[in-house]
Amino acid sequence: EYFAFSASAAYQFSDTFQAYARYTSGKKAPDFGILSGITTPAAIATIFPSAEKIQQIEMGLKYRNDGIFIQVFPFWSKNSDIADNQTFTYKAGTPNAGVNYSPPPVFGQVETYGIEISGDFDVTRQLNLHADLTLQNPKSSGFSTYTQGPKGDGTDDIVSTVPKGTADNNPKIIARATATYRPVETLSLFATYSYLGKR
């Protein structure tokens, strides 16, 4: 059980310009692969992971005027208590030879600063251009990795801390642009270009 909340404040400066700020705090279930490997009362009592924590602060600036709509969203987010799971097989000669096991999970976090920019422009009554761009700098810390010990029975596995650095599977650049052409009211033609940075 947990409590999640989001609080925001918005202000309209004029008919064309408004801004807001928001803070969010929540939690989410750990990776299902970790939960599915916890199958005994002893494991539940000793290694059951906590819920992941999510915090986010974002601001929004919005401008709309005469067929132009531009939005800018600076943001900060932190996802902590992320459990990392590894699976090994008990080696031959041990009581549980051939059976898979997972050492107790280790926990890390990913912290991200970034900005999202969105623009929508009616070139003519028939042609609309829309673009979204996200620039972010995701950093990971606190993650660790196990190496199975020589005994292969789970008693001498070694854990090593992974150095702080760029977070895996979090691209630094995400972009999408779409052109929509509507020659008549009942027909729309569109083309989209998408780019996803290194993951």
Side-chain angles (χ1 to χ4, degrees), residues 104-168:
V106 291
F107 300 91
Q109 72 174 28
V110 175
E111 188 172 14
T112 305
Y113 292 90
I115 186 169
E116 296 180 16
I117 303 169
S118 177
D120 196 278
F121 179 52
D122 292 328
V123 181
T124 67
R125 292 182 62 183
Q126 291 81 27
L127 179 63
N128 174 268
L129 301 178
H130 182 88
D132 297 295
L133 174 66
T134 299
L135 303 173
Q136 59 184 8
N137 189 22
K139 296 292 185 182
S140 66
S141 62
F143 288 96
S144 300
T145 183
Y146 279 94
T147 302
Q148 189 176 35
K151 294 180 181 178
D153 62 0
T155 62
D156 62 345
D157 295 338
I158 300 167
V159 63
S160 302
T161 302
V162 177
K164 294 180 180 179
T166 301
D168 292 340

Side-chain angles (χ1 to χ4, degrees), residues 52-125:
E52 294 182 17
K53 296 177 183 177
I54 301 169
Q55 293 174 282
Q56 185 173 19
I57 298 172
E58 67 180 55
M59 294 171 31
L61 305 173
K62 301 179 181 182
Y63 174 81
R64 184 191 296 273
N65 189 29
D66 197 24
I68 299 174
F69 185 34
I70 298 173
Q71 303 176 86
V72 179
F73 306 101
F75 67 89
W76 166 84
S77 67
K78 182 167 74 170
N79 190 357
S80 53
D81 289 343
I82 304 171
D84 192 11
N85 187 44
Q86 290 177 258
T87 302
F88 297 118
T89 303
Y90 289 111
K91 292 182 179 179
T94 63
N96 298 307
V99 176
N100 292 336
Y101 74 95
S102 295
V106 291
F107 300 91
Q109 72 174 28
V110 175
E111 188 172 14
T112 305
Y113 292 90
I115 186 169
E116 296 180 16
I117 303 169
S118 177
D120 196 278
F121 179 52
D122 292 328
V123 181
T124 67
R125 292 182 62 183

